[in-house]
Amino acid sequence: MIVEGASLAYNIAQVTRFRSMIVELSQICNYIVYKARITGECTQGEYDLALECQRQIEECNKQIAKHETMTMVDGISLLIDMLGNLNKK
C-alpha cells in the first residue's frame, strides 16, 4: 500500500510539473507572437524557437496523459487494498 501511495504521489507531481512546463512554453510562444504582431516580422530564430516550444508542449501533453492514467490505476489499486484491509478486520 505504501508503494502504491508513493507511486500515486509521484505521478501527481509529474502531472503538475508538466503542466507548469506547458505554461512556461506557452508564455514564450505568446511573447514571440505578440512581438511579431507589433513589429510585423519574426526572425528565423524566433520562428524556430516557437516551433520547438510547440513540439515540447505536445510532448508534455503526452506525458500528462501517461501519468494521469498511471495515477488512476494507482488510485484504484490503493482503494482496493484499503477495502481489502477493511474486510480482514
Side-chain angles (χ1 to χ4, degrees):
M1 201 155 94
I2 293 172
V3 171
E4 289 162 351
S7 180
L8 179 66
Y10 171 78
N11 285 312
I12 290 170
Q14 289 298 86
V15 168
T16 301
R17 184 176 137 245
F18 285 115
R19 286 191 175 143
S20 176
M21 289 172 63
I22 287 173
V23 168
E24 291 175 20
L25 292 164
S26 295
Q27 288 174 339
I28 293 168
C29 287
N30 288 339
Y31 172 77
I32 292 169
V33 169
Y34 176 77
K35 182 180 171 285
R37 285 185 179 165
I38 289 176
T39 62
E41 62 185 19
C42 179
T43 67
Q44 185 63 43
E46 291 168 334
Y47 178 77
D48 293 342
L49 179 59
L51 287 178
E52 180 60 22
C53 286
Q54 187 61 34
R55 190 185 71 70
Q56 291 294 325
I57 288 170
E58 290 171 12
E59 182 59 32
C60 286
N61 283 324
K62 288 178 189 174
Q63 291 298 318
I64 287 171
K66 178 181 103 176
H67 285 286
E68 283 178 341
T69 299
M70 291 167 40
T71 299
M72 186 173 295
V73 169
D74 289 340
I76 291 169
S77 294
L78 197 56
L79 180 61
I80 290 170
D81 285 349
M82 288 171 43
L83 292 174
N85 286 338
L86 286 175
N87 289 335
K88 291 178 185 176
K89 292 182 179 182

